[in-house]
Amino acid sequence: MDAAHLFDHPADVVARRLIGATLLFHDVGGRVVETEAYDATDPASHSFRGPTKRNAPMFGPPGRAYVYRIYGLHWCFNVVCDASSAGSAVLIRALEPSHGVEGMRQRRGAAPFPALCAGPGRLCQALGIGEAVNGARIGPFPLEIKSADAPVDVVQGVRVGVRHAADVRRRFGLAGSPFLSRPFPPVPGSQVAVICA
DNA sequence: GTTCCGATGTACT
DNA sequence: GTACATCGGAACG
């Protein structure tokens, strides 16, 4: 799949479309079940205050990886998108493991199967993603994302762990998936929307 | 089941 | 010094 076709769109659009896609790094990975959208107009985004040495990939071309360290020890993996709006990216928060599960287990220790990739730090540990992946092109091997081949039900909610723009619903998930980093709120009216990808 | 804590890179006040 | 797009384990009920 052509990277621009997949990624050169607003972060919200890419975040929604990536649900159900398959992410692989060195043939290890699985189906994307949870994402979050960030862009330069968003106070919760690393790009909000303009380019820095750390966030430089966010201001580069779409279809590249932005990998950063959080809280001094975990890695988080983002996909840069939207060439017309510099500083846009999608955080991949959780996968449904399907490829190279034994390697994941070795890197993740005694984590139970549903938690192998349930969280941005966890999935980076499971796939062996670290600083070396920062700025890497997505597709071809070793870093690949293949869009979903069938429509999926997508739920939407507020992002995890952000204090700025806490009411903005830019978190997307695969409806009913047991591989989410945490559940989406159980239908308090307008809190959850179902979208067909 | 929940809450609290420690690990400690990077950007900002 | 403080906040942060986090996780795993200990301590608790």
Side-chain angles (χ1 to χ4, degrees):
Chain A
M1 179 61 67
D2 176 52
H5 181 264
L6 260 180
F7 304 122
D8 191 10
H9 303 281
D12 305 61
V13 173
V14 176
R16 174 163 45 84
R17 289 186 183 168
L18 282 180
I19 301 300
T22 298
L23 167 65
L24 294 176
F25 182 55
H26 287 287
D27 291 324
V28 177
R31 183 161 65 154
V32 176
V33 299
E34 186 178 342
T35 60
E36 287 179 359
Y38 293 87
D39 64 50
T41 68
D42 175 358
S45 173
H46 287 179
S47 59
F48 182 63
R49 295 173 195 278
T52 65
K53 183 175 181 179
R54 177 175 64 153
N55 67 19
M58 289 187 84
F59 292 88
R64 302 258 180 165
Y66 168 44
V67 178
Y68 67 91
R69 203 194 274 279
I70 183 138
Y71 298 130
L73 57 160
H74 301 293
W75 296 100
C76 292
F77 174 78
N78 297 250
V79 177
V80 179
C81 52
D82 201 357
S84 69
S85 177
S88 300
V90 173
L91 171 67
I92 310 298
R93 288 191 52 89
L95 302 180
E96 175 180 335
S98 61
H99 293 63
V101 173
E102 277 313 305
M104 292 186 195
R105 286 192 194 282
Q106 289 182 5
R107 282 183 286 267
R108 292 274 298 124
F113 178 74
L116 278 178
C117 299
R122 290 167 170 177
L123 86 82
C124 283
Q125 185 182 20
L127 271 58
I129 288 175
E131 190 169 28
V133 180
N134 193 29
R137 184 176 172 176
I138 295 165
F141 186 90
L143 183 60
E144 307 164 277
I145 293 181
K146 303 172 186 177
S147 56
D149 44 31
V152 293
D153 286 335
V154 175
V155 291
Q156 184 175 356
V158 298
R159 295 173 295 188
V160 175
V162 306
R163 297 212 217 187
H164 293 289
D167 57 330
V168 174
R169 296 167 58 231
R170 285 191 176 135
R171 177 184 179 222
F172 301 88
L174 179 64
S177 173
F179 300 97
L180 299 171
S181 65
R182 37 183 296 194
F184 280 72
V187 193
S190 60
Q191 287 289 329
V192 172
V194 177
I195 303 165
C196 195

